[in-house]
Amino acid sequence: MDFLLSGITSVTIPQIIMYCVGALLIYLAIAKGYEPSLLLPMGFGAILVNLPLSGVIDQVLPGIGNTHGIIQWLFESGIEASEALPLLLFIGIGAMIDFGPLLSNPIMLLFGAAAQFGIFFTITVAVLMGFSLPDAASVGIIGAADGPTSILVSQILKSNYIGPIAVAAYSYMALVPLVQPLAIKAVTTKKERLIRMPYNPVSVSKRLKIIFPIAVTIIAGFVAPQSVSLVGFLMFGNLLRECGVLNSLSDAAQNILANLVTLLLGITISFSMRADVFVTWKTLLILILGLIAFIFDTIGGVMFAKFINLFRKNKINPMVGAAGISAFPMSARVVQKLAIKEDPTNHLLMHAIGANVSGQIASVLAGGIILNLLTAILK
């Protein structure tokens, strides 16, 4: 009967901590509705991979030898070997995005760039705190509020902290409605939040919508070659949406593909949440640095809008700059809710959507630029 109790008696304190982490993620997914399609499989996976001698990861069993676990295989094949799962998810995300609001008001593209400030600020802080440059860059990219990009960059850079980075990236994406209002209000006045912006969209032709994803991919390929896989898959998904001849494939990418890959990605990334690599003091530090990156990305977008207003007759509501992060469409909704709270007749949603979709492009370009810079520095 000893073998029936061997699992219970071999449980360690770090594994118990991971059971609690898994339970917390499941609670946030179910009770609070925070990114349930990601947090629930991540939470359940965190429990699976930390069970003693778990069959979901590779083991060496006495008298049997090597056995292979499904979650470890998915991680090694779908993330470590090819980054396939994050990239496939980008096809679905691209198919969901309408770049029309951005194309009708191109100035919003600047806010996507400005709202990446927190990434580079946090990289600097992380290096000063003793992280290696690849690990610091991987931590900084959390600020993009883009889970697939965070996973991809940390994997390519072979960071030692993929698990904490993934948890931080997706957790802060889920907490956008809680974190962003506090950051926005900290750096704006009520008068600034009351600024009205009339929406007079310019008609965007179907031809331009088709040309846009192709042009962005080519330009990104020249400017940041390492971003081609990220930008290319995102824009390919958008091309499926806009071409008008592959509607069934576009629908499949938005629904079936995106949902299936999200499910697999969530439970697969839990392989890097094993207690022996996750329960360290640096994990807590990464969560703090990730929050700093996220907050400073938001502040960067807001402050850039305030800077532009120094030279504009028609002022931009600074809150729109906060939507320049990649958390689509949550960030745009946050800006709209804040605007309506200040003035029920002030509608900023379409302006915020334009900034928000530009953040999608900017975040993957930021990831590619970071990879290019580190490749040059680490030669």
Side-chain angles (χ1 to χ4, degrees), residues 5-147:
L5 300 175
S6 61
I8 297 175
T9 57
S10 61
V11 172
T12 64
I13 296 299
Q15 286 174 328
I16 293 175
I17 292 174
M18 290 310 301
Y19 300 155
C20 295
V21 170
L24 175 62
L25 295 177
I26 292 172
Y27 169 78
L28 292 175
I30 297 175
K32 300 297 184 180
Y34 295 157
E35 290 290 323
S37 59
L38 277 165
L39 295 191
L40 192 147
M42 284 174 64
F44 193 70
I47 295 173
L48 289 179
V49 299
N50 285 291
L51 293 171
L53 299 176
S54 175
V56 299
I57 60 177
D58 293 355
Q59 302 287 347
V60 180
L61 300 180
I64 297 176
N66 294 328
T67 63
H68 298 289
I70 181 63
I71 290 183
Q72 184 166 348
W73 176 81
L74 283 170
F75 183 87
E76 292 173 348
S77 302
I79 295 181
E80 192 172 58
S82 62
E83 295 89 35
L85 291 179
L87 290 174
L88 288 173
L89 183 56
F90 265 111
I91 296 178
I93 294 172
M96 297 177 192
I97 296 175
D98 178 8
F99 286 113
L102 173 61
L103 293 173
S104 67
N105 193 10
I107 193 173
M108 293 300 157
L109 191 62
L110 298 176
F111 294 115
Q116 310 307 311
F117 167 75
I119 296 174
F120 299 95
F121 174 79
T122 304
I123 291 173
T124 304
V125 172
V127 169
L128 293 175
M129 296 181 72
F131 284 90
S132 68
L133 191 53
D135 285 335
S138 300
V139 171
I141 203 68
I142 294 171
D146 186 338

Side-chain angles (χ1 to χ4, degrees), residues 247-266:
N247 291 334
S248 60
L249 289 180
S250 175
D251 291 340
Q254 293 179 51
N255 298 292
I256 299 172
L257 178 64
N259 289 333
L260 180 59
V261 174
T262 298
L263 177 70
L264 289 175
L265 184 61

Side-chain angles (χ1 to χ4, degrees), residues 123-183:
I123 291 173
T124 304
V125 172
V127 169
L128 293 175
M129 296 181 72
F131 284 90
S132 68
L133 191 53
D135 285 335
S138 300
V139 171
I141 203 68
I142 294 171
D146 186 338
T149 298
S150 298
I151 293 171
L152 192 66
V153 170
S154 60
Q155 177 58 39
I156 291 175
L157 295 178
K158 301 192 182 304
S159 171
N160 297 311
Y161 308 105
I162 297 175
I165 288 168
V167 170
Y170 283 116
S171 296
Y172 295 139
M173 283 175 61
L175 295 175
V176 163
L178 298 179
V179 177
Q180 275 209 303
L182 298 176

